[in-house]
Amino acid sequence: MAESEEESSCLQQVYVEKQELDDSEDVLDLDSIDVRYEIDDREFDLPEVSVPQSLESILNEPDDLPEIEEDPLFLEQAETASVTSDAVSFANNGATSGRSTPSRQVRKDSIQYPLHGSVLRHVVLRGISSQIVSAAERVNAGLPSAMAVSAVVAIGSTHGVVLIFDPKQTLKLCLSNGQTREQYGAVSALALNNDCTRLLVGHARGQITMWDLTTGKLLRTITDAHQPGSAILHIQFTDDPTLAIFSDSGGSVFELNFRRLMGVRGSDSTCIFSGSRGEVCSILVLHAGPLQDHPLDDLSIMALATMSKVIVITIRPKLRVLFHHPLRGNSNTLPLLAWHYVFVQQQTGRTLEPVLAFARSSTIYFCQLVCKSPDNVQFVLLQKLTVPYVLIHMMWINAKTLITVDSLERMHLVDVRHDEELQVLDVGDVKLVYGSSHFKSLATGGNVSPAMALAGENACYQSVALFRGQVLLLGTKSLHVFTIRTWFERINYLARQEHYVEALALALSFYEGSARAVIGLDSNVEKRKGLIASKLLRVLYEFVEASATKNVPTRGAIHLLVEHYESVMPVCIESCISIDRTDVLFGDVYDRFSQDFVAKALFLESLEPYILDDKLRHIAPAVMQELVENYEERKEIDDLERLIVHLDIMSMNIDHIVKLCWKHSLYDGIIYIFNQSMNDYISPLEELLNILMDSILNKKDLTDKVVKLANKVLVYVSCCLAGRAYPVGDISESIMLQVKTSVLKALTVLHTKQPAEEEPVYPYLRTLLHYSTREFLNALALAFEEPEFESEVGRQQKQRIVDILLQIMVDNMEFSPTQVGALFTFLARQMAKAANTIYVSRMLFEQVLEYLSNPNDSSRHEEREQALIELLHAAGLQQFDEERLLALAERAEFYRVCELLYDKQHQYDKVLSCYLRDTSRQVQAFRFIEIVMSNPARKAAEKKAFRRKVLESIELLVAIDQQQTAELLACVFPDSMHEVTTRLAHEPRLLYAFLTGLIDYKESQAIGIKKKEGIVIGSDVYEQYIDLMCEFDPANVCTYVKSTDAYRLENTLEICKKHQVMDAMAHLLEKSGQVHDAFVILLQNLQDKVGDLCSVLLAGHESHTVDVSASWSALQVALCVVVQFCQRGLWFPILETMMHPQRKLDHKVAPQHLDSFKELTRHVLNSMMGYISVAAILKCIMEDPAYSTGKLSDIKELVLGMLEMYNYESTLLHSMKNLLNQDLHAQLARLQQTANRGYAAKSDACDLCHKPLAHIVDADNIVLFRCAHSYHMPCLQSMGSFVRLGSEEAWKCWHCSTKISRPLSSAKGRIRSPSSQLADTVSAPAKNVPDAQQVQALEQLRRMQKTVSRLAILNELAHPESRPRFRQHAADNSSILQQDGFQLRLAPPPPPTEP
């Protein structure tokens, strides 16, 4: 019974009579649309098109047209609609209504988001469904194939029968003419007119019938409206009852006009769109809007979609193209269209405009139609939406929400404005009807294109319908309705399943206006919030009752009960606070939870975060009392204090709270209550200061409690003087000035209200100054910045406070010098201000200066110096003697103050001294020197004294930065090089650092890093630098002498000999030609390293791995140096050096050390093999006692390594020889082929004189060019058509050289005699022997084709850095020498002989 009531109520809602459009949410809901979604016609007007495009021109456009540019305002919305929240499935949240089919569970593919709940309601129309099945089984009506919905439901079948149902699911008509099944085939499309009196039926075999639904009579049978053999895919009525539009499986679109003359019904059709231009897959007529007198009322507009584009046209009053847009997608997807009217905000008010949504694959476009007049229709592309699934159907369910169906038969509810998916519902159980057979035209033989057949696999245009916000899906045995639940139903749906937390969250989203797809709420904000709040409270009561009874854990540990209530309390509190119903929170809700002591305690504890966030300011007094007692019992007094300062005073029992605060020293609470309840800012201050006085002025030990109080008082005073409330907020404007004045007055009272006999004057000020002089003066400094102290009264008040401070702190000895210094610093800063009005006596000012410049006080040095500088900048010291001030600054080491005074006196040398003495700013001295010396306004005497000071300080400058010193000397004092080196001579290390910087700067100039003028450094300076390097950095001497030639060779060699820098000596000796002496030095160094290693090994210190490793490393380095040197010839001495220790250490050291020696020996042998014969090397090895007396296994590895290297190099040499021979042969073969190739002339006449080539004197020759032009030699000579190449002359073609603008530099010809020419053209010679002319021509061609020799190429490859590269004119790309992978391994050249 419940199920039938649900179906009946739902169906009544679907099939109500048409009403006039109002502003209800379920039809047109864009009146409340976001501002960014509103459209201004002036902003989005499209330019006028002078010549409108015709349909034919659009059809002839290529399919890959670029998309029209999207408006930038909406680009940010065109993001992919993807699921970002976690999917939640509730146990009893079925896809159908709970009352109709309560047993059905959510399928795995369904997604319900907790934020939105269950938005869609699914109802199966069982009355219609049962009759569909009955008709198929009993009367063989066939399965459902198409559907149309309006005031009635029309369902067509595969046997051509149409069933008509009324809103009560009663079968009213069964339309069939008896011949439908055999002749017409299945129903492929249906259309109802506006008043539901006419029904158009399209059949799979191409026929169209019209039925009268009032009588059930067949009115028309149309068989010739389109090309036979095509199924009807779409058929639709327009707003004109005499005009309909249909399309067929051939992709053509037709308009169908109905007429009735003399009682005879007739019709005619006109082709609008031919399928040969592009097959139309979908059409959709735009029906008139619900508003009257709209400009679109005079137009009949239709959208049609092909596989590649969307086109919008007008049918009436004339056929005209309004808009077209490319449409791309997968080949197996169909285009989708959906019209909807939306309200758009205009300057003149809201207007109703249609929006077209068109899609394919996974992309949806939204385009607005803007109609200012019937002749002025424009389209604006609003938004692009990409979804993560493939679309098979799409429709508007209301102005904000779109329904889509994907290829997996899942229904998606999408909020268009926010690009948010609201719900996913699996509709696979519907068993949706597809029209694939009609798109393939199987009833007529399948005569459709492959593209149409492939795309039509998922065609469901005729099985999904929309009527007034209701989505109907036609299944093979049932009819389903999907609607958006009202806000009330969505909350109830969750509450019935006891998902109270989600239900309350959803209700709050309705209340706050953040919910999506909202249906059924009043447009008035106050009424809407009232309704939602009422419903939310009813759900809240159910939730509270369930949480306190049946959902309470009855077994288990206590923590389970605590966790349960901890999850419940925040939900209740948040719900009541959000709708501003704290009376319910502290009434019924608190009363219910108070029955359980655990729930009561957790309720009170759960209030804390909301109080601290200022969401909850007022609490019922009874609950407040309970809250205080709860925190007292748990001894969380500090947490209670934090709550008190955030609560409304009216919630508290002030007397009780004040006593509690004094009892537990809750000073913030005391201050807050006095300030807020009585606007009393003085009483708490005096009370707290009295507490502090007892501890501070009596010099008692400061406990943590006293320190905490003192800090709070300082902050409180600072807030009051700055106009801020304590601890948070601001003081009311009306009492702010009064508070500031009263607080200052309280602080500066001469005595307390009940003074003791020994109480000093100004006790409150003394107390704060004794506790923290600096912090209290900082608070005063902030207060002095307030505008109140800029008036005359304010200045007097400021002067009074300063006088009191001076009286308290300066005229007696109870304050420390540090505290007095803080006062003087405070005064200096105040006096340094431009609007200073503070007067201080001269003697006191002297005291201020004496303090600031006290050399014995090392504390806050920088702060005191800064205070004095601020006074100087404010001209506060002009009345004092600068000499005395300078003396004070020098004594206190205030270098910045000294700089200011010295700069004023133009004593720049002393300014430089200040820079150099100030360790934090020494680096700035270089920039200062450059500025002074480059300033033309400086006097010569000043610059001379300054220069002298710079040179006197050269040692310190070098120590600061050697690089900048060298650059400074090179740029500013280039003539002082000798003087500087002389000054630094007694400090060799500083001199070395200076020369390092100088030479580095010189090298940076050479490579272009430094752009200033260069400096000249003599060879003596370089030699001095090398001498110092040998002393301080001998390891880098050899590297340096290799990198430069700026020194004298003999002198540098003597320097290296003096310091015994062996590697540098060897390099210099080799450079001077003394190769043998250099080798002796390197060999001696190697022998020394070998000896050192042997000594370490024989001494038995093998446990000292550091010494052994260091010795091995030194030996390896020395050996590599000698091997590199021996690349130039001297090999056997080094081999002997490496083999001798093995004889000495045999059987005396560990075997691994001998193996290491053999490894080094193998390295020497491998390096030798490229230069010494293998036989000589083997002879040397076999004669050595270290190897000759041993076993074969001792030398086996060594010999095999040598032989392997020998075989490798022999193979490489042989392969290289073959490659070169092959390449040389190929080149010579090409040269011979080129030389033997004959040339043929274009004609037998000379191209200059046009006489026959044979009619010449025998002594003359004929010149034939590669371009096939031929000339008599005298003719070419007379034209001067030749070029000179060295000592030879070469001819050039006269015609070719005169046709181009630039001369031909190397156009050469072939010279022949007349007899040879005739011989070539008439008959072949008896013997293949060239005559003299042919030999001469061959020789000339050989010179022209001459290439670089192979030896030159090899020489260039061997020495690419020392020889110029040859230019190869005719090298063929096929040569191995031209290939990237070609490599050579060449031995170095023989060592140079001694002169």
Side-chain angles (χ1 to χ4, degrees):
M1 186 67 181
E3 295 179 1
S4 61
E5 290 178 358
E6 173 79 12
E7 297 168 9
S8 178
S9 61
C10 178
L11 198 59
Q12 291 292 341
Q13 182 182 353
V14 176
Y15 302 118
V16 295
E17 294 295 331
K18 288 191 175 181
Q19 302 174 358
E20 293 185 358
L21 179 71
D22 54 14
D23 291 345
S24 61
E25 294 280 347
D26 57 338
V27 180
L28 296 171
D29 195 30
L30 284 195
D31 53 346
S32 59
I33 200 167
D34 193 279
V35 174
R36 65 174 182 169
Y37 202 70
E38 295 180 356
I39 304 164
D40 189 348
D41 279 352
R42 296 181 305 170
E43 183 178 359
F44 295 103
D45 274 351
L46 298 178
E48 297 286 345
V49 180
S50 57
V51 180
Q53 289 183 287
S54 65
L55 184 60
E56 187 72 16
S57 64
I58 292 176
L59 296 179
N60 289 327
E61 289 180 354
D63 290 343
D64 57 348
L65 289 174
E67 299 183 6
I68 65 174
E69 184 178 356
E70 298 178 3
D71 195 279
L73 180 63
F74 296 93
L75 287 180
E76 64 181 20
Q77 303 177 12
E79 301 175 355
T80 301
S82 59
V83 178
T84 56
S85 60
D86 295 333
V88 177
S89 297
F90 300 124
N92 296 321
N93 183 16
T96 61
S97 173
R99 287 179 291 171
S100 59
T101 53
S103 62
R104 186 166 186 259
Q105 303 294 320
V106 177
R107 292 171 59 91
K108 293 182 179 180
D109 291 335
S110 298
I111 302 175
Q112 179 176 306
Y113 300 103
L115 180 62
H116 308 294
S118 178
V119 185
L120 291 174
R121 178 176 57 184
H122 178 193
V123 177
V124 180
L125 300 183
R126 298 188 179 278
I128 295 178
S129 302
S130 62
Q131 294 184 70
I132 292 174
V133 175
S134 177
E137 294 177 351
R138 297 182 180 181
V139 297
N140 197 20
L143 296 177
S145 60
M147 173 179 59
V149 181
S150 184
V152 297
V153 176
I155 298 177
S157 71
T158 55
H159 290 177
V161 178
V162 180
L163 305 178
I164 308 297
F165 298 90
D166 66 3
K168 296 182 179 180
Q169 306 188 52
T170 303
L171 179 62
K172 292 297 184 182
L173 295 172
C174 180
L175 307 178
S176 174
N177 60 3
Q179 300 177 352
T180 303
R181 184 182 309 174
E182 295 79 9
Q183 296 182 3
Y184 296 168
V187 174
S188 57
L190 294 171
L192 292 164
N193 64 354
N194 289 339
D195 58 3
C196 290
T197 59
R198 296 289 186 270
L199 174 67
L200 282 176
V201 181
H203 292 273
R205 295 184 181 275
Q207 296 87 346
I208 299 174
T209 58
M210 176 183 284
W211 299 83
D212 186 346
L213 295 185
T214 59
T215 62
K217 294 182 179 181
L218 177 63
L219 301 180
R220 291 182 176 88
T221 299
I222 306 170
T223 59
D224 56 352
H226 65 114
Q227 183 178 359
S230 299
I232 304 296
L233 299 183
H234 300 274
I235 188 165
Q236 297 176 18
F237 274 104
T238 64
D239 291 331
D240 182 358
T242 64
L243 177 63
I245 306 294
F246 72 92
S247 67
D248 61 14
S249 59
S252 299
V253 180
F254 300 84
E255 66 174 62
L256 191 60
N257 295 279
F258 305 110
R259 63 181 183 275
R260 184 174 182 180
L261 297 176
M262 304 298 291
V264 179
R265 292 184 173 88
S267 64
D268 56 351
S269 64
T270 304
C271 182
I272 300 176
F273 189 104
S274 174
S276 61
R277 298 292 187 179
E279 295 164 317
V280 172
C281 302
S282 178
I283 63 173
L284 189 62
V285 173
L286 174 63
H287 292 281
L291 296 184
Q292 302 296 326
D293 300 329
H294 195 278
L296 288 176
D297 292 344
D298 298 330
L299 299 177
S300 182
I301 298 177
M302 178 183 67
L304 50 90
T306 68
M307 293 291 187
S308 59
K309 58 173 64 73
V310 170
I311 306 172
V312 181
I313 63 175
T314 60
I315 306 171
R316 296 286 187 270
K318 63 179 180 179
L319 186 64
R320 182 162 60 99
V321 176
L322 301 178
F323 168 77
H324 65 96
H325 189 277
L327 193 61
R328 300 181 179 91
N330 297 331
S331 59
N332 59 345
T333 59
L334 287 169
L336 307 173
L337 299 170
W339 286 104
H340 195 78
Y341 281 89
V342 299
F343 277 108
V344 179
Q345 187 67 34
Q346 305 285 357
Q347 283 188 336
T348 58
R350 290 196 310 169
T351 61
L352 195 66
E353 302 291 352
V355 170
L356 174 65
F358 54 94
R360 191 179 179 198
S361 286
S362 301
T363 306
I364 308 173
Y365 298 89
F366 300 91
C367 194
Q368 180 201 353
L369 186 152
V370 181
C371 182
K372 298 181 179 179
S373 67
D375 296 328
N376 185 4
V377 180
Q378 299 172 353
F379 278 81
V380 178
L381 191 62
L382 301 179
Q383 187 178 355
K384 178 182 176 181
L385 179 66
T386 304
V387 294
Y389 45 83
V390 178
L391 296 164
I392 63 172
H393 209 284
M394 170 189 68
M395 64 194 68
W396 294 92
I397 196 167
N398 59 38
K400 296 180 182 178
T401 315
L402 202 68
I403 286 281
T404 62
V405 182
D406 64 18
S407 57
L408 300 178
E409 293 191 354
R410 295 179 302 177
M411 182 180 291
H412 302 258
L413 186 66
V414 181
D415 185 278
V416 176
R417 192 201 325 173
H418 300 93
D419 294 353
E420 183 179 1
E421 189 174 71
L422 308 181
Q423 187 177 357
V424 180
L425 197 62
D426 182 77
V427 293
D429 290 345
V430 173
K431 298 182 180 179
L432 194 64
V433 172
Y434 289 95
S436 308
S437 60
H438 309 318
F439 274 79
K440 298 177 181 180
S441 195
L442 298 180
T444 58
N447 52 343
V448 297
S449 67
M452 188 70 125
L454 177 62
E457 286 292 338
N458 292 323
C460 57
Y461 292 115
Q462 304 301 323
S463 53
V464 182
L466 176 71
F467 182 71
R468 294 196 178 181
Q470 321 294 320
V471 179
L472 289 88
L473 267 62
L474 180 63
T476 56
K477 295 182 179 181
S478 57
L479 182 62
H480 301 253
V481 178
F482 295 86
T483 61
I484 293 182
R485 301 178 191 270
T486 65
W487 69 275
F488 195 85
E489 292 171 342
R490 288 167 65 179
I491 296 175
N492 280 342
Y493 181 82
L494 293 173
R496 284 199 306 268
Q497 301 184 40
E498 298 186 1
H499 298 302
Y500 295 111
V501 176
E502 291 79 8
L504 291 171
L506 181 61
L508 284 179
S509 67
F510 290 138
Y511 187 86
E512 295 168 356
S514 60
R516 308 282 186 260
V518 182
I519 299 296
L521 278 176
D522 196 284
S523 59
N524 184 277
V525 177
E526 295 298 328
K527 292 182 179 180
R528 180 170 68 242
K529 287 191 173 183
L531 290 172
I532 298 172
S534 177
K535 178 60 179 176
L536 185 146
L537 289 178
R538 288 197 294 271
V539 177
L540 179 62
Y541 289 142
E542 296 179 15
F543 176 50
V544 170
E545 186 62 29
S547 300
T549 54
K550 59 181 179 180
N551 293 337
V552 176
T554 58
R555 296 181 180 180
I558 187 65
H559 72 88
L560 297 177
L561 184 62
V562 173
E563 291 175 358
H564 166 70
Y565 282 119
E566 283 180 347
S567 64
V568 169
M569 298 306 173
V571 177
C572 300
I573 298 172
E574 182 74 30
S575 301
C576 292
I577 291 176
S578 299
I579 63 175
D580 196 19
R581 291 299 302 271
T582 55
D583 57 325
V584 176
L585 178 65
F586 300 118
D588 298 337
V589 175
Y590 178 69
D591 293 341
R592 187 65 184 87
F593 287 130
S594 298
Q595 299 175 15
D596 187 299
F597 73 95
V598 176
K600 178 181 177 181
L602 290 174
F603 179 88
L604 296 174
E605 293 174 16
S606 301
L607 296 175
E608 180 176 344
Y610 299 95
I611 296 174
L612 295 178
D613 291 341
D614 291 327
K615 293 181 179 180
L616 187 60
R617 296 278 299 170
H618 179 79
I619 296 179
V623 179
M624 182 66 188
Q625 185 68 25
E626 297 282 352
L627 180 67
V628 173
E629 293 175 358
N630 178 269
Y631 276 86
E632 280 188 285
E633 291 176 2
R634 293 189 288 123
K635 301 184 184 300
E636 296 179 357
I637 303 300
D638 293 336
D639 293 338
L640 177 60
E641 183 182 27
R642 288 199 299 270
L643 298 181
I644 289 174
V645 299
H646 285 273
L647 287 171
D648 187 6
I649 292 295
M650 303 305 295
S651 301
M652 306 178 191
N653 183 342
I654 295 178
D655 182 61
H656 175 73
I657 297 296
V658 169
K659 291 179 180 179
L660 178 68
C661 291
W662 283 117
K663 177 182 177 182
H664 297 284
S665 301
L666 305 181
Y667 302 119
D668 285 351
I670 294 171
I671 295 172
Y672 177 77
I673 293 173
F674 273 91
N675 292 168
Q676 298 297 321
S677 63
M678 296 172 285
N679 285 336
D680 185 358
Y681 291 82
I682 306 304
S683 297
L685 178 61
E686 292 176 344
E687 294 288 344
L688 298 179
L689 284 174
N690 288 331
I691 298 174
L692 284 178
M693 284 172 52
D694 182 59
S695 299
I696 294 177
L697 296 184
N698 295 331
K699 301 183 185 294
K700 296 180 180 179
D701 293 336
L702 298 182
T703 63
D704 293 340
K705 182 178 179 180
V706 175
V707 171
K708 179 180 178 182
L709 172 60
N711 290 333
K712 290 181 181 294
V713 171
L714 280 175
V715 176
Y716 176 62
V717 170
S718 178
C719 289
C720 291
L721 294 180
R724 302 297 303 275
Y726 180 84
V728 292
D730 293 305
I731 300 175
S732 174
E733 292 283 347
S734 59
I735 63 172
M736 184 183 297
L737 182 59
Q738 176 186 352
V739 171
K740 293 180 180 180
T741 305
S742 59
V743 169
L744 280 176
K745 185 177 179 180
L747 291 175
T748 56
V749 294
L750 189 62
H751 287 288
T752 60
K753 295 179 180 180
Q754 298 178 353
E757 294 181 0
E758 66 277 6
E759 181 183 273
V761 295
Y762 306 110
Y764 293 153
L765 279 180
R766 287 179 184 272
T767 300
L768 295 177
L769 289 170
H770 271 293
Y771 174 71
S772 179
T773 306
R774 177 182 299 277
E775 295 302 328
F776 178 68
L777 293 177
N778 286 340
L780 279 183
L782 291 176
F784 286 172
E785 298 293 333
E786 294 295 317
E788 291 81 6
F789 288 95
E790 296 179 0
S791 63
E792 183 64 27
V793 177
R795 288 193 291 269
Q796 294 176 3
Q797 183 74 5
K798 185 190 299 185
Q799 182 65 47
R800 177 175 176 271
I801 294 173
V802 171
D803 293 339
I804 294 174
L805 292 174
L806 293 173
Q807 178 184 348
I808 295 173
M809 302 187 67
V810 179
D811 294 345
N812 58 74
M813 303 299 294
E814 63 178 290
F815 289 91
S816 66
T818 302
Q819 291 174 315
V820 177
L823 174 63
F824 287 163
T825 305
F826 166 76
L827 293 177
R829 290 184 181 277
Q830 294 298 317
M831 297 172 64
K833 295 179 180 179
N836 174 42
T837 58
I838 297 177
Y839 170 76
V840 180
S841 65
R842 184 181 182 86
M843 182 177 65
L844 186 59
F845 212 96
E846 290 288 341
Q847 292 180 352
V848 172
L849 294 179
E850 288 289 345
Y851 164 74
L852 291 177
S853 57
N854 183 10
N856 297 323
D857 186 5
S858 59
S859 63
R860 304 191 308 277
H861 180 275
E862 185 176 353
E863 183 180 353
R864 291 186 288 115
E865 183 180 15
Q866 184 63 32
L868 190 54
I869 290 175
E870 290 177 359
L871 282 175
L872 281 174
H873 287 305
L877 300 181
Q878 292 181 353
Q879 54 181 325
F880 298 97
D881 185 10
E882 290 186 4
E883 294 299 329
R884 181 173 179 277
L885 180 61
L886 184 59
L888 292 174
E890 287 280 2
R891 187 178 63 178
E893 297 183 352
F894 287 173
Y895 297 118
R896 289 188 291 167
V897 177
C898 295
E899 289 170 20
L900 293 174
L901 297 175
Y902 285 137
D903 187 73
K904 185 177 180 180
Q905 299 172 5
H906 300 284
Q907 298 183 22
Y908 302 110
D909 54 341
K910 296 185 178 179
V911 175
L912 178 61
S913 298
C914 294
Y915 274 108
L916 296 177
R917 291 161 62 190
D918 190 352
T919 56
S920 63
R921 300 186 306 125
Q922 287 180 338
V923 179
Q924 301 178 17
F926 299 99
R927 178 59 180 164
F928 175 72
I929 295 171
E930 187 176 353
I931 292 174
V932 172
M933 296 303 296
S934 61
N935 192 344
R938 306 296 180 220
K939 297 180 181 179
E942 296 173 350
K943 289 188 176 181
K944 183 177 180 181
F946 186 71
R947 179 179 182 277
R948 183 170 58 254
K949 180 63 178 178
V950 172
L951 295 178
E952 290 174 356
S953 308
I954 194 67
E955 294 91 345
L956 183 56
L957 291 173
V958 173
I960 295 171
D961 192 326
Q962 63 190 35
Q963 186 71 35
Q964 292 198 55
T965 305
E967 185 175 350
L968 181 68
L969 184 67
C971 300
V972 182
F973 308 108
D975 56 343
S976 303
M977 182 76 67
H978 179 70
E979 184 178 355
V980 171
T981 55
T982 303
R983 286 181 177 273
L984 296 176
H986 65 284
E987 293 285 347
R989 188 169 292 279
L990 282 179
L991 180 58
Y992 175 63
F994 168 72
L995 292 178
T996 300
L998 184 67
I999 292 175
D1000 289 344
Y1001 176 74
K1002 177 67 176 178
E1003 292 177 354
S1004 65
Q1005 279 187 323
I1007 63 177
I1009 297 177
K1010 302 290 185 181
K1011 299 300 182 182
K1012 297 182 180 180
E1013 60 276 4
I1015 59 173
V1016 178
I1017 302 178
S1019 58
D1020 55 337
V1021 177
Y1022 281 101
E1023 293 165 6
Q1024 186 179 13
Y1025 174 62
I1026 294 174
D1027 191 6
L1028 294 172
M1029 184 182 292
C1030 290
E1031 181 179 354
F1032 298 110
D1033 192 11
N1036 290 323
V1037 174
C1038 183
T1039 304
Y1040 180 73
V1041 296
K1042 289 180 180 179
S1043 64
T1044 182
D1045 294 324
Y1047 52 82
R1048 289 170 293 188
L1049 192 60
E1050 297 79 4
N1051 295 351
T1052 306
L1053 183 58
E1054 291 299 325
I1055 293 171
C1056 293
K1057 287 181 179 179
K1058 180 179 70 173
H1059 293 280
Q1060 290 298 304
V1061 183
M1062 296 301 180
D1063 52 352
M1065 288 173 56
H1067 172 75
L1068 295 173
L1069 287 172
E1070 182 184 5
K1071 192 173 182 180
S1072 63
Q1074 304 176 39
V1075 179
H1076 186 271
D1077 294 340
F1079 178 73
V1080 169
I1081 291 175
L1082 293 178
L1083 188 60
Q1084 182 62 43
N1085 182 45
L1086 178 63
Q1087 291 172 351
D1088 293 342
K1089 300 299 181 183
V1090 172
D1092 294 341
L1093 178 60
C1094 292
S1095 299
V1096 172
L1097 295 176
L1098 292 174
H1101 297 294
E1102 296 185 13
S1103 59
H1104 303 293
T1105 55
V1106 176
D1107 297 338
V1108 175
S1109 300
S1111 300
W1112 276 113
S1113 299
L1115 176 59
Q1116 290 174 354
V1117 172
L1119 178 61
C1120 290
V1121 173
V1122 178
V1123 168
Q1124 292 174 3
F1125 184 85
C1126 287
Q1127 298 285 336
R1128 292 172 288 276
L1130 304 174
W1131 285 103
F1132 285 106
I1134 184 176
L1135 181 61
E1136 173 62 24
T1137 301
M1138 295 308 302
M1139 298 178 69
H1140 175 72
Q1142 300 180 48
R1143 298 191 295 270
K1144 181 179 178 181
L1145 299 175
D1146 192 17
H1147 303 295
K1148 296 180 180 180
V1149 297
Q1152 62 265 25
H1153 297 305
L1154 291 176
D1155 294 340
S1156 300
F1157 266 111
K1158 291 181 180 180
E1159 183 66 29
L1160 294 176
T1161 305
R1162 187 179 298 108
H1163 173 65
V1164 175
L1165 292 173
N1166 291 336
S1167 302
M1168 291 173 61
M1169 289 187 61
Y1171 309 92
I1172 308 297
S1173 66
V1174 178
I1177 297 173
L1178 287 175
K1179 181 180 179 182
C1180 179
I1181 294 174
M1182 299 306 297
E1183 292 177 353
D1184 190 273
Y1187 294 97
S1188 60
T1189 59
K1191 299 178 181 179
L1192 179 62
S1193 59
D1194 295 337
I1195 63 172
K1196 177 181 178 182
E1197 186 176 353
L1198 186 66
V1199 174
L1200 289 178
M1202 291 174 54
L1203 294 177
E1204 182 180 357
M1205 179 62 68
Y1206 174 77
N1207 291 333
Y1208 170 74
E1209 293 186 351
S1210 299
T1211 304
L1212 180 64
L1213 179 62
H1214 181 71
S1215 301
M1216 189 66 197
K1217 179 180 178 182
N1218 291 338
L1219 289 173
L1220 290 176
N1221 290 338
Q1222 182 181 0
D1223 185 65
L1224 181 62
H1225 174 76
Q1227 291 286 355
L1228 291 176
R1230 280 192 290 272
L1231 288 174
Q1232 182 181 11
Q1233 182 180 2
T1234 303
N1236 292 335
R1237 187 177 60 190
Y1239 294 155
K1242 290 183 178 180
S1243 65
D1244 294 336
C1246 175
D1247 288 321
L1248 285 176
C1249 65
H1250 301 291
K1251 295 181 179 179
L1253 294 175
H1255 293 172
I1256 60 172
V1257 182
D1258 291 341
D1260 294 331
N1261 292 326
I1262 298 172
V1263 182
L1264 176 63
F1265 290 92
R1266 297 179 182 177
C1267 58
H1269 292 122
S1270 55
Y1271 307 92
H1272 294 135
M1273 185 177 293
C1275 297
L1276 275 182
Q1277 289 176 345
S1278 64
M1279 300 300 295
S1281 183
F1282 61 88
V1283 294
R1284 184 172 297 278
L1285 300 175
S1287 59
E1288 300 181 358
E1289 291 182 353
W1291 300 104
K1292 63 180 180 179
C1293 179
W1294 185 82
H1295 281 86
C1296 297
S1297 61
T1298 56
K1299 287 181 181 179
I1300 56 177
S1301 58
R1302 57 182 178 85
L1304 295 177
S1305 60
S1306 60
K1308 302 176 179 62
R1310 173 175 291 188
I1311 304 174
R1312 297 204 177 201
S1313 65
S1315 58
S1316 63
Q1317 175 71 18
L1318 291 175
D1320 287 341
T1321 57
V1322 178
S1323 62
K1327 295 182 179 180
N1328 192 12
V1329 177
D1331 56 13
Q1333 289 81 3
Q1334 289 177 329
V1335 172
Q1336 181 182 0
L1338 183 61
E1339 181 64 22
Q1340 182 177 0
L1341 181 61
R1342 185 188 63 78
R1343 289 197 303 269
M1344 292 166 54
Q1345 298 290 339
K1346 186 177 181 180
T1347 60
V1348 182
S1349 68
R1350 290 342 183 237
L1351 293 178
I1353 294 175
L1354 293 177
N1355 197 18
E1356 180 185 354
L1357 292 173
H1359 301 280
E1361 71 285 349
S1362 60
R1363 286 179 170 81
R1365 293 186 178 274
F1366 293 95
R1367 189 161 49 94
Q1368 186 172 349
H1369 296 282
D1372 189 79
N1373 289 335
S1374 62
S1375 171
I1376 61 170
L1377 299 178
Q1378 302 297 321
Q1379 298 177 5
D1380 294 339
F1382 178 73
Q1383 296 181 356
L1384 289 176
R1385 289 188 52 165
L1386 302 172
T1393 59
E1394 296 184 2

